[in-house]
Amino acid sequence: MPYALWAVFAAAYATLSLQRFSRFDTPSWDNAIFTQAIAGYANLGAPVVDIKGPGFNILGDHFSPIIALVAPFYRIFPDPRTLLVAQAVAVGFSVVPIARLAIRRLGLGSGLAVAMAYGLSFGIASAVYVDFHEVAFAAPLLALAGEAYVDRRWGPRGVVGGPAAAGEGGPRPDRRRGRRCGGGERRQEDRVACSWWEAWRASRWCCWC
């Protein structure tokens, strides 16, 4: 059932996005920006975005190499709408862990209601509304991390939650802790906290939106 919901919501998100695209109804430049970046990856080159300036390499602005996952599909279907469909599939998949967890905890009927409410929520609808953005990959990562957290599976939570935490506008660790861990002698009580800080910094290289 959770995977059936994925198919339904992915189809709904894709239909909405493609209809808006056909009407030239776009609230931002994001789709054009990321189309050029992904086209660069698809052609085995740098993600140059000329719409932001001649020869502008997007890695110097938004370091988010995770968008290269869309490049193989763009190489087959070189069209901006490929990004919209990819986003619909990624965001739609985030319903799966929510549905699985809710059904296990609440039963089939209530679990499906929770999953439907999530899929139709304002936040998810807004993510689809603003065209393609790298935060589309954060939705399934955070949903998987949340499922692992509730089930007390700490390993999977860290694996999928670390890259998602580096999303633009997303949660950030305490800046003061970053300064305290910047160098020099560390107090004994800071060592564990600093280890977590450094692990988080390393995760940013996976997906920094």
Side-chain angles (χ1 to χ4, degrees), residues 178-186:
R179 289 193 294 271
R180 193 165 70 234
C181 298
E185 291 295 326
R186 298 175 182 173

Side-chain angles (χ1 to χ4, degrees), residues 145-194:
E147 180 188 25
Y149 175 84
V150 173
D151 289 340
R152 298 298 189 266
R153 292 183 287 113
W154 307 116
R157 174 178 173 247
V159 169
V160 300
E168 180 184 22
R172 294 289 193 271
D174 189 342
R175 300 288 184 179
R176 291 172 297 177
R177 176 160 297 162
R179 289 193 294 271
R180 193 165 70 234
C181 298
E185 291 295 326
R186 298 175 182 173
R187 295 179 299 175
Q188 179 67 32
E189 60 269 25
D190 286 341
R191 289 180 181 175
V192 173
C194 290

Side-chain angles (χ1 to χ4, degrees), residues 56-87:
F56 188 96
N57 191 320
I58 196 68
L59 293 177
D61 183 21
H62 281 24
F63 185 83
S64 50
I66 196 170
I67 64 174
L69 294 175
V70 184
F73 304 99
Y74 187 87
R75 189 173 180 88
I76 299 171
F77 305 104
D79 189 287
R81 288 169 289 189
T82 300
L83 279 65
L84 299 177
V85 174
Q87 175 171 258

Side-chain angles (χ1 to χ4, degrees), residues 24-52:
F24 298 97
D25 179 14
T26 178
S28 71
W29 293 11
D30 283 344
N31 212 62
I33 291 170
F34 289 109
T35 294
Q36 291 189 345
I38 291 171
Y41 285 127
N43 292 312
L44 304 180
V48 173
V49 179
D50 289 320
I51 195 173
K52 293 178 73 71

